[in-house]
Amino acid sequence: MSKGPATGLANEERVATDPILGYAALPGIADEMLDAGGQIKPVWRNLISHLGRMPEAELHERFARADRYLRDAGVFYRTYGAQGSGERNWPISHVPVLIDGKEWEAVSKGLVQRADLLEAVMADIYGDNRLVQEGILPPALIAGNSEFLRPLVGVRPVGGHYLHFCSFEIGRGPDGNWWVLADRTQAPSGAGFALENRVATTRAFSDIYAESHVHRLASFFGAFRDALQAHKQYPEDRIAVLTPGPANETYFEHAYIARYLGFMLLEGEDLTVVNNRVMVRTVAGLKPIGVLWRRLDASYADPLELNQNSHIGTPGMVQALRAGALAFVNALGSGILETRALLAFMPTVCRRLTGEDLLMPSIATWWCGQKNERDHVAGNIERMVIGPAYSRLPFFDDNGQSVLGSSLRMTAKDAVGDWLATEGAKLVGQEVVTLSTTPAYVNGKLTPRPMSLRVFAARTETGWQIMPGGFARIGSGDDVAAIAMQAGGAAADVWIVSDKPVARPTLLPPEESFTRNMPGSLPSRAADNLYWLGRYIERAEGALRILRAWHLRYAESADPEQPLLADVTHYLKAIDIDMSKAVPVSLLRNVDSAIYSASNIRDRFSPDGWLALTDLAKTARRFHDAVQPGDDASHAMTILLRKLAGFAGLVHENMYRFTGWRFLSIGRHLERGLHMTRLLGHMSGPDAPDGSLDMLLEIGDSVMTHRRRYNVNTARLTVADLLALDPLNPRSILFQLNEIRTEVEQLPNAFVNGQMSPFYREAMRLHSGLAVMTPEAMNQEVYLKLEQEMERLSDILGRTYFS
């Protein structure tokens, strides 16, 4: 490996004594770095100087640290294609984009003006409608827009503001001027990814970051969190992030933001509307929601009054807004502001509503529903992109819906006029974007790539605040369309650099004053997922222990028809474990089900736990395709059991002992009790093959304990005593019921009006019934009845807390 610089600076053109000037002299350098005179901007000099001196190995190690952080944190972005959706590791571009603080002040001023303008437009569209009446906005652009939600007309939002959190896609031309490519007001995404980009990038460049006076991001989120707290009308109101669910492309960010700010993460099914108030279903009953940070499209929020096909909304949500009982971030209907054709009218709208010109212009846009505009687009087709007028996406994000005029054949260009004349009201023309370039590390060299910025604005108690940064979308090639994440684009951190030291804010309270806030109420859906996470993990462990014992014996005899092995094979088939593979598909399904349950509660699940769980799944899949029966399989089962034990240890040692922990624990104990009950019922009867009792002790991890406690050989009574009735054996049935009873005592509503709840009563009855049993009384009928009662206990739990 070369010991020279990894940035592509080491060549004949490099000035050895001045790596910065040498870099500036190279052809094809990113124009984002250069000033009008072609020299490196001062804000870039320190970073480029450091990169120029770094050996290739060191640079790779730095980038690997960033990648490792993102991988360990489980940061992903969901992609969609012909083969369905899948999770893609967050595509970081390791070299940050640097912008001078003074320049950023001008950018921020322009975006604050634009945020205020969008607020005024929204208020007019859903209020007096003067812009349409005065002919400034075409009626068709509003009335024919699917994002115009008629049920929201005249509904004033709580607090008086429609918009609270916006983002802007902005680009800079090679001439240095910024323009707005798209406004994001529906449910802006990316703020959480900007935070993760910052953490990952600082892992790579901690030394450079520390000395560069880069503005921090925490104060932006802290101010927005305080503003949302101020929107609560009642002290008992809760704040939540409303997500479409794990299938959404940015679900990771929803969970991350909720965890970072201390908000609940909810889906539509978690909510219900009672007496015009939005309530969340929790294990302690219905609790009021006062503020919802919406991350799903508005039309899906209420299937009663908006999109009737929505399965992710909550009926009655619009009525709650009419009653003034709920604050939405942002208001329902705000997606209309993202309409691409509106960009054509923003200069006129700005002058009409504010008396000012736009400080940051939009990308040049013409709505083709007007003759002069149609003729202009048709006459300048070579430098135009033509796309859907009602689209909410910039052309490089719209999955090929737009047509690049310069790519059309001559015959197609001749037909453009006819196309625009017949379909003009549905189309816009936009000037082809030439974006400035920024350095990206590609194949061992710094390479210029086109870039756009996603910048965020939050309404705070003192007005709009612009995040000092955001993230840059970096193209995978020279084509601007390659910026889109779905098209393989990457994301880079954005450093706003001051010429003097900056504050280092934190979301933590001052050390001299703090309040111990108890965890919020646990939503019923989260409790359900935690419960089944515990069950699936324990189900996988039980299967692994049986399979390991089976393969150890098969390794000795190589005869699967041996009575004991055949009997266990029959038992496994009865519980849906197919032995055609040494590592059965059903085992993979159990692990996948555990991952699915965990994915639904990412805001409550530690990154370490998630990493351990996904590592278990990867290892199990690898073994499924490669492991042979016998010694090879038993060794594989031991490795998987160790990984499971590692996951269980992480959960046991690190999870806060509150309501969520109790549901996870109940799930594990109930599944372990069922597992042992079924095994004892099948393998300890009088007809069980020779060796069954010894195998039972091995599966129950109790061989050494049996030897110490009983001065006799393995017998049915001793096995029943140890694995069914011993309250000190963590594998016994009685131990599981005792633990369940203990956890149930701490659950909400364990007592109702001074009486035990049905679930608590059933848990007590089940525990007491087994506690008075003797080994002699334990037989197959008792085990079968006990299994049925434990399944019934699970049903009662679901009816009590999950419904």
Side-chain angles (χ1 to χ4, degrees):
M1 182 174 290
S2 169
K3 297 296 183 183
T7 55
L9 309 186
N11 57 38
E12 292 80 359
E13 299 183 45
R14 177 174 175 167
V15 179
T17 58
D18 190 340
I20 298 173
L21 294 179
Y23 185 64
L26 294 178
I29 292 307
D31 44 34
E32 189 64 34
M33 296 168 48
L34 306 181
D35 61 22
Q39 298 301 307
I40 296 286
K41 294 177 181 177
V43 70
W44 281 92
R45 286 177 174 266
N46 188 43
L47 176 63
I48 294 302
S49 178
H50 276 81
L51 292 178
R53 293 193 298 268
M54 283 182 195
E56 183 178 0
E58 180 186 349
L59 200 60
H60 286 179
E61 172 55 32
R62 286 172 177 261
F63 292 165
R65 284 202 298 268
D67 294 338
R68 186 162 54 246
Y69 165 76
L70 292 171
R71 187 172 58 251
D72 291 350
V75 184
F76 72 89
Y77 181 85
R78 189 169 297 281
T79 57
Y80 306 98
Q83 306 301 318
S85 65
E87 291 183 4
R88 175 190 178 194
N89 290 337
W90 181 245
I92 188 172
S93 181
H94 300 92
V95 179
V97 175
L98 275 58
I99 300 176
D100 183 81
K102 292 185 174 61
E103 180 183 3
W104 192 251
E105 289 178 7
V107 170
S108 298
K109 188 176 179 181
L111 295 181
V112 166
Q113 181 206 46
R114 194 173 188 93
D116 282 331
L117 177 61
L118 292 173
E119 171 72 28
V121 174
M122 179 78 175
D124 180 81
I125 289 174
Y126 288 95
D128 296 337
N129 206 19
R130 289 175 300 157
L131 293 174
V132 171
Q133 291 176 7
E134 296 174 10
I136 296 173
L137 289 179
L141 209 56
I142 306 301
N145 197 319
S146 63
E147 293 299 327
F148 177 57
L149 304 182
R150 292 182 184 276
L152 276 302
V153 173
V155 177
R156 291 289 296 174
V158 173
H161 294 298
Y162 291 87
L163 302 180
H164 306 85
F165 195 87
C166 306
S167 72
F168 305 93
E169 202 77 36
I170 66 175
R172 196 210 304 257
D175 60 359
N177 293 320
W178 291 97
W179 1 269
V180 174
L181 305 174
D183 300 303
R184 290 278 175 264
T185 53
Q186 171 79 277
S189 64
F193 290 123
L195 275 172
E196 288 287 33
N197 268 354
R198 174 59 54 87
V199 176
T201 304
T202 53
R203 294 290 175 93
F205 300 118
S206 56
D207 50 345
I208 304 172
Y209 180 79
E211 65 185 37
S212 295
H213 305 325
V214 180
H215 285 273
R216 270 50 173 180
L217 305 181
S219 61
F220 173 83
F221 288 97
F224 185 53
R225 182 184 63 182
D226 293 343
L228 294 187
Q229 294 284 357
H231 277 297
K232 296 196 304 183
Q233 300 181 67
Y234 306 99
E236 68 272 16
D237 280 352
R238 288 152 177 78
I239 303 175
V241 176
L242 180 60
T243 174
N248 185 263
E249 62 185 13
T250 57
Y251 175 73
F252 170 84
E253 184 201 16
H254 306 167
Y256 180 82
I257 284 288
R259 186 167 58 232
Y260 182 71
L261 297 180
F263 298 158
M264 302 176 81
L265 182 67
L266 303 178
E267 297 181 28
E269 67 182 80
D270 295 324
L271 301 172
T272 187
V273 178
V274 180
N275 296 327
N276 293 336
R277 293 212 66 190
V278 176
M279 314 290 280
V280 56
R281 297 182 177 93
T282 78
V283 296
L286 297 178
K287 303 295 180 182
I289 294 291
V291 183
L292 276 177
W293 186 354
R294 174 173 61 85
R295 302 306 299 270
L296 78 168
D297 285 359
S299 61
Y300 291 97
D302 185 348
L304 193 63
E305 297 200 49
L306 302 175
N307 186 340
Q308 297 180 5
N309 296 317
S310 171
H311 297 285
I312 58 176
T314 305
M317 195 77 82
V318 172
Q319 183 55 37
L321 290 173
R322 288 195 190 100
L326 176 70
F328 248 131
V329 178
N330 288 328
L332 297 184
S334 56
I336 195 170
L337 299 175
E338 298 183 357
T339 303
R340 191 186 296 179
L342 275 181
L343 295 175
F345 302 92
M346 291 302 279
T348 305
V349 170
C350 186
R351 285 190 291 271
R352 168 62 183 82
L353 295 181
T354 69
E356 302 173 345
D357 289 326
L358 285 171
L359 296 177
M360 185 180 295
S362 308
I363 180 177
T365 305
W366 295 266
W367 179 53
C368 298
Q370 300 159 301
K371 185 179 186 308
N372 290 340
E373 283 70 13
R374 279 199 304 272
D375 293 344
H376 177 82
V377 171
N380 296 273
I381 189 65
E382 284 286 341
R383 55 189 184 88
M384 290 286 172
V385 175
I386 301 175
Y390 295 113
S391 173
R392 291 161 37 210
L393 300 170
F395 78 86
F396 51 77
D397 247 344
D398 66 5
N399 296 319
Q401 296 181 62
S402 296
V403 176
L404 187 63
S406 60
S407 68
L408 297 175
R409 295 181 179 179
M410 188 57 64
T411 53
K413 291 177 183 177
D414 293 340
V416 164
D418 294 336
W419 178 35
L420 294 178
T422 56
E423 301 288 335
K426 300 178 182 178
L427 299 171
V428 292
Q430 291 184 305
E431 237 174 22
V432 174
V433 175
T434 302
L435 293 175
S436 67
T437 57
T438 192
Y441 190 73
V442 181
N443 298 325
K445 297 173 65 177
L446 284 182
T447 305
R449 287 284 186 260
M451 169 207 77
S452 72
L453 296 189
R454 183 166 294 181
V455 186
F456 302 90
R459 187 183 295 281
T460 71
E461 295 177 276
T462 58
W464 288 104
Q465 184 171 326
I466 304 299
M467 180 190 288
F471 72 82
R473 299 207 290 174
I474 310 297
S476 57
D478 295 333
D479 183 5
V480 172
I483 285 178
M485 303 297 251
Q486 298 285 348
D493 191 17
V494 177
W495 291 6
I496 308 304
V497 182
S498 175
D499 56 4
K500 54 187 176 182
V502 297
R504 299 189 177 188
T506 174
L507 292 188
L508 297 176
E511 289 186 11
E512 63 272 11
S513 172
F514 74 92
T515 300
R516 177 182 288 174
N517 295 317
M518 294 304 290
S521 300
L522 182 69
S524 296
R525 181 183 54 84
D528 193 0
N529 280 289
L530 284 163
Y531 170 73
W532 280 102
L533 171 62
R535 288 200 64 171
Y536 285 127
I537 284 296
E538 195 59 41
R539 192 172 295 177
E541 181 178 341
L544 282 170
R545 291 187 175 280
I546 299 174
L547 290 168
R548 182 173 66 172
W550 191 95
H551 284 288
L552 282 171
R553 284 154 182 77
Y554 176 79
E556 297 172 355
S557 65
D559 180 13
E561 299 304 321
Q562 180 198 119
L564 178 58
L565 295 184
D567 182 69
V568 174
T569 300
H570 177 73
Y571 171 80
L572 290 169
K573 186 175 182 181
I575 60 173
D576 196 30
I577 297 179
D578 182 10
M579 293 292 289
S580 60
K581 281 270 194 177
V583 178
V585 172
S586 57
L587 177 64
L588 303 183
R589 283 202 301 266
N590 285 331
V591 176
D592 287 344
S593 295
I595 289 176
Y596 177 76
S597 294
S599 72
N600 281 286
I601 46 171
R602 286 293 291 271
D603 60 315
R604 299 173 181 271
F605 207 69
S606 76
D608 286 339
W610 180 259
L611 190 65
L613 203 52
T614 52
D615 179 56
L616 171 68
K618 290 176 184 176
T619 306
R621 274 192 163 67
R622 188 172 73 249
F623 287 163
H624 172 72
D625 296 326
V627 167
Q628 299 300 313
D631 276 332
D632 193 25
S634 65
H635 178 65
M637 303 302 164
T638 299
I639 292 174
L640 292 174
L641 281 170
R642 287 174 184 164
K643 288 182 179 288
L644 261 177
F647 170 77
L650 278 171
V651 170
H652 186 273
E653 293 298 323
N654 298 330
M655 192 170 177
Y656 191 83
R657 296 314 197 255
F658 203 59
T659 310
W661 156 265
R662 305 194 192 289
F663 281 101
L664 178 67
S665 298
I666 289 171
R668 292 200 67 187
H669 290 304
L670 188 60
E671 188 64 36
R672 183 173 289 188
L674 280 166
H675 166 72
M676 189 53 66
T677 301
R678 293 188 187 112
L679 274 174
L680 283 164
H682 183 82
M683 299 183 69
S684 66
D687 299 330
D690 289 344
S692 294
L693 297 177
D694 290 322
M695 190 174 186
L696 257 174
L697 290 173
E698 184 179 320
I699 294 170
D701 201 16
S702 299
V703 173
M704 293 178 63
T705 305
H706 186 274
R707 289 173 184 168
R708 286 198 301 268
R709 292 208 60 185
Y710 306 99
N711 294 323
V712 296
N713 292 329
T714 307
R716 186 180 66 84
L717 294 182
T718 60
V719 170
D721 185 55
L722 183 59
L723 295 183
L725 303 177
D726 192 331
L728 301 181
N729 182 8
R731 294 283 167 181
S732 77
I733 304 170
L734 185 59
F735 183 93
Q736 313 314 317
L737 295 180
N738 186 58
E739 292 296 307
I740 291 172
R741 185 195 63 178
T742 301
E743 298 298 348
V744 171
E745 288 174 352
Q746 304 299 319
L747 289 180
N749 301 327
F751 288 90
V752 180
N753 296 326
Q755 294 184 330
M756 292 181 182
S757 69
F759 179 57
Y760 190 12
R761 186 180 296 112
E762 183 64 15
M764 287 287 289
R765 189 193 65 77
L766 198 54
H767 173 266
S768 301
L770 187 63
V772 298
M773 296 291 283
T774 63
E776 291 80 4
M778 301 302 293
N779 56 42
Q780 288 173 298
E781 291 181 0
V782 171
Y783 289 125
L784 179 60
K785 183 180 179 183
L786 189 57
E787 178 186 346
Q788 293 169 345
E789 288 178 332
M790 280 194 277
E791 292 285 14
R792 181 169 174 267
L793 183 65
S794 179
D795 293 339
I796 297 173
L797 172 68
R799 289 197 299 270
T800 303
Y801 292 105
F802 305 154
S803 298

